[in-house]
Amino acid sequence: MTGELAQAIALAAHGNAALAGDSAARRALTLQHDAFKVAISVAFVRGGASVATTPAAWFDHLRGRGARRLALTLLARRTDWLPDHEVVAFAGGSGVMIAADVRPAPELWAGEWRANFTALHAHEHRVWDVVYHAAEPPVPVRADEAPAAQYELERTRERLRAALEAMIAFAGASRWTTGFFTPALAMLMSAEVLVPARGLEMLPAKGYGVAARRLLAGATLAGSVFGGSGS
């Protein structure tokens, strides 16, 4: 779980809740939220002009342009010389973007993480200025209705289960297995969300059921095997 992905999940999840009228979710996502713990600032830019400098203001901007929902999307592989599991270690390497069904044409928002070298040299905890740019030209956004969303959750759960079982078989009786992979598999396959569960702070209090929270908790634990990434 990289910092880029965690922030994108939090923006999309809280944004969907805010666009649906959840004022608490709109207020909850500030620079004090865990998803922004390494960020000095955040801005949202469209057509070269800043439209918002807080998540709440961005949600309002999107609502004003007719948006009803946000969705995460993943860019196709962008390098032939560096595999995905290595490129994700670099700022901007996640390939994750946020799709918004604004009117008249949907668009993508891509995060640019700019290192603040003054903060880096001072060994500050917050060292990134994050700018989200509206991608041009606009691209279509798939409308995920409830049956499709449920199908995606189940399919993703099965893919993660298979990956975790393969990792457990490969790693054997190691600290990675006992500390991360086996507990993550237990979280993923449980009937309820097992606690303590990391990652759930990325979601608003309302709007996401057991299936989504269970999947996020299992993926977050498994993805933190090497310490995760704050950038």
Side-chain angles (χ1 to χ4, degrees):
M1 179 65 71
T2 68
E4 289 181 15
L5 179 56
Q7 194 172 104
I9 290 173
L11 281 168
H14 284 78
N16 278 327
L19 292 174
D22 187 341
S23 59
R26 177 188 175 277
R27 295 191 304 269
L29 203 60
T30 69
L31 286 181
Q32 305 311 310
H33 190 278
D34 278 357
F36 294 87
K37 63 184 178 182
V38 296
I40 298 171
S41 66
V42 63
F44 301 86
V45 175
R46 183 174 183 271
S50 175
V51 298
T53 55
T54 66
W58 183 54
F59 301 153
D60 293 343
H61 168 78
L62 294 176
R63 181 187 291 109
R65 296 178 54 225
R68 294 170 299 181
R69 68 173 288 109
L70 305 176
L72 295 182
T73 185
L74 185 65
L75 290 181
R77 184 172 174 179
R78 291 171 290 173
T79 63
D80 294 328
W81 54 274
L82 196 61
D84 290 343
H85 70 276
E86 293 183 12
V87 74
V88 74
F90 295 90
S94 70
V96 173
M97 303 178 76
I98 303 173
D101 65 343
V102 293
R103 304 294 186 268
E107 63 194 6
L108 292 177
W109 290 79
E112 176 191 4
W113 288 55
R114 303 172 178 173
N116 185 302
F117 291 101
T118 299
L120 281 170
H121 292 154
H123 303 289
E124 299 286 347
H125 183 65
R126 295 178 180 268
V127 296
W128 297 98
D129 292 302
V130 185
V131 181
Y132 286 87
H133 300 271
E136 301 291 347
V139 298
V141 178
R142 185 186 64 189
D144 283 327
E145 297 182 357
Q150 184 62 39
Y151 168 75
E152 290 295 338
L153 276 176
E154 291 302 321
R155 187 174 70 163
T156 303
R157 182 190 185 195
E158 286 305 303
R159 290 176 63 190
L160 181 57
R161 178 193 59 77
L164 286 171
E165 289 177 348
M167 287 187 284
I168 291 170
F170 177 79
S174 67
R175 61 186 179 89
W176 298 304
T177 297
T178 57
F180 298 94
F181 302 144
T182 298
L185 183 60
M187 281 187 173
L188 187 67
M189 303 310 295
S190 66
E192 300 294 335
V193 180
L194 300 181
V195 293
R198 292 177 54 195
L200 298 186
E201 67 279 357
M202 296 179 229
L203 302 180
K206 301 177 182 178
Y208 290 84
V210 170
R213 294 177 183 276
R214 182 176 54 201
L215 177 62
L216 180 57
T220 300
L221 179 56
S224 62
V225 62
F226 296 120
S229 174
S231 59

